[in-house]
Amino acid sequence: MLQTSNFKSTVLFVLLIISSNILAQTAVTINTPNNTPVTVLVLTEMSQSQIASTNANAAALYPNATILSNSSSTYNCHAHAWYLTECTGCTKYWMNTPNDDKYWQDNSYVEVTEAQAQKISYSNDDHSAIKSVVSGKYDSKWGQWPVMRHSPNYTPYISTNLKYYARTRISGNSDLCTSSSYSVNVPSGSIVTWSSTPSSALSVTQNGSTTTATRIGNYNGSATITATVTYPTSGTQNFSKSLKIGNPIINFVSFSNGFDGEEYFCTSHNGNMYNIYPQLANTTYQYRLRKYPNLNVVYTSPTGRSASDQINYIPQSGWYEFQARATNACGTGPWVGYEVEYLDCSILNFRNTNTTEVYPNPANAELFFKRINTGNVGSMENRTLTESDPFTVELYDFNGTLVVTEKYNNLNEESSLNVSEFKKGNYILKIIARKTEETHLILIQ
């Protein structure tokens, strides 16, 4: 139903609603979030001239509303509010009343306060809207008119007795240090049972729609809190929320300079960037570099760094461990390390231009070495090894301990090293000839 205070608007909307029914072609079925079937209509689109004319009418009659998208006869307010705004790239349908009612009748959405609202039903009229990103505004589609951004009562629809709805969800902090309160918005009369996993992480009270979760001991890591809701009519449904418990723990780090899956930095310091994950709100980071083989700390950054930033250290070439840790209101997490290599990128144009092939990698019995025919290497001439060079192989474990040293006469010949007796794990292999050396990261299985 439309407000009668604006005759022109009323007549236009009545004509548009009538035309939409004439244009109906096919009835199809979609589903609410709780899988209740909803019948919707596939309609044909207006012509470009009709769209332009309808846009102009909307702008002229409601100058204080903002047009967000063009007029369309393929979908209306209910489809826009309850279906299309919840998916990307979905087919546009026309949803007639009372199908929009199914979205709260099956508990996909529950009635809440205006402050909590995601969806709004104009219960004294045939209209639906969503809460706008602009404070105090709603977004809604007016029949075949455009999607409009408007004040709640600045529409052709009767705006008294509005009803507010939101998806059932658990509210509360995602980061828990010692204890925190959580609540779930459910229909009146629902029974709520709370639980958490793993059971070693949290203890929860049973207080209906609100609970208190408390960290158990010194648990650090992830946990999930779940509200099992039994509705007053029928049916049971689980709602969960992922939490980070205790001091923040870093999962992994990615670097901007990577080649063939390996991580390296340039000693020239160009583009040496890192990204630490997870990137959490209200969390700061710190990093440091430890150099192999002794893992001496050669640089520690100031605290308060962001999760994505540039490394403020220019080291010598070689293997390092990049370590990072995170700090939030709960405290500071442990250092977590990742191996990286620093290379002189002004000489070495590509990461894989090492002149020695090392295979197989991973290895479990023997490790083989043979010079790669690199052809004309240009500016790398001062770095590369020639085929007649004698060479030395040094193998270090990741504690920086030299495991074995072997000397070989000719790099051009296939040579091997027996690794069958070594412990499984990562190793650093150095090939040294003349005044140059190559470093390879080796996995022994």
Side-chain angles (χ1 to χ4, degrees), residues 32-45:
T32 69
N34 286 349
N35 292 316
T36 299
V38 177
T39 300
V40 291
L41 303 175
V42 179
L43 306 181
T44 56
E45 184 58 280

Side-chain angles (χ1 to χ4, degrees), residues 9-241:
S9 179
T10 301
V11 171
L12 181 58
F13 265 87
V14 170
L15 290 175
L16 290 175
I17 292 171
I18 292 172
S19 67
S20 72
N21 293 324
I22 294 173
L23 292 171
Q25 294 179 339
T26 308
V28 298
T29 300
I30 60 174
N31 293 292
T32 69
N34 286 349
N35 292 316
T36 299
V38 177
T39 300
V40 291
L41 303 175
V42 179
L43 306 181
T44 56
E45 184 58 280
M46 297 184 289
S47 67
Q48 289 301 311
S49 61
Q50 289 174 319
I51 291 173
S53 175
T54 308
N55 287 347
N57 283 327
L61 290 171
Y62 288 87
N64 295 326
T66 302
I67 295 177
L68 298 181
S69 64
N70 282 332
S71 300
S72 174
S73 60
T74 61
Y75 69 108
N76 64 343
C77 64
H78 303 316
H80 174 263
W82 299 101
Y83 178 62
L84 292 173
T85 54
E86 300 301 320
C87 57
T88 301
C90 293
T91 302
K92 294 179 178 178
Y93 299 117
W94 191 281
M95 182 188 299
N96 285 325
T97 297
N99 284 297
D100 54 308
D101 299 5
K102 296 178 181 179
Y103 281 79
W104 59 82
Q105 290 174 346
D106 77 343
N107 298 309
S108 290
Y109 289 81
V110 295
E111 192 168 353
V112 294
T113 65
E114 182 180 14
Q116 299 171 311
Q118 297 171 307
K119 316 290 184 184
I120 302 94
S121 174
Y122 284 60
S123 60
N124 284 350
D125 212 336
D126 187 15
H127 188 57
S128 296
I130 66 171
K131 182 76 73 68
S132 175
V133 295
V134 177
S135 177
K137 301 289 185 180
Y138 295 166
D139 297 344
S140 63
K141 191 168 188 301
W142 296 356
Q144 294 184 9
W145 277 25
V147 176
M148 307 290 284
R149 178 163 291 162
H150 56 89
S151 297
N153 59 355
Y154 190 69
T155 76
Y157 301 93
I158 298 173
S159 56
T160 57
N161 195 29
L162 300 182
K163 300 289 187 181
Y164 307 102
Y165 296 93
R167 285 284 285 144
T168 301
R169 63 183 185 271
I170 297 175
S171 300
N173 294 327
S174 296
D175 296 329
L176 187 149
C177 299
T178 54
S179 66
S180 187
S181 294
Y182 298 90
S183 61
V184 61
N185 53 320
V186 294
S188 178
S190 299
I191 299 173
V192 183
T193 302
W194 294 88
S195 59
S196 65
T197 55
S199 58
S200 59
L202 296 171
S203 62
V204 292
T205 59
Q206 300 294 333
N207 292 324
S209 61
T210 301
T211 192
T212 299
T214 302
R215 177 186 180 189
I216 297 176
N218 295 320
Y219 181 87
N220 281 309
S222 299
T224 300
I225 188 170
T226 299
T228 300
V229 180
T230 302
Y231 294 106
T233 51
S234 63
T236 299
Q237 195 169 2
N238 291 329
F239 300 92
S240 297
K241 183 180 181 69

Side-chain angles (χ1 to χ4, degrees), residues 340-361:
V340 297
E341 185 180 10
Y342 271 90
L343 301 170
D344 186 349
C345 298
S346 64
I347 296 175
L348 187 60
N349 294 324
F350 296 99
R351 173 65 186 92
N352 65 345
T353 50
N354 273 346
T355 58
T356 305
E357 183 179 8
V358 180
Y359 56 93
N361 190 9

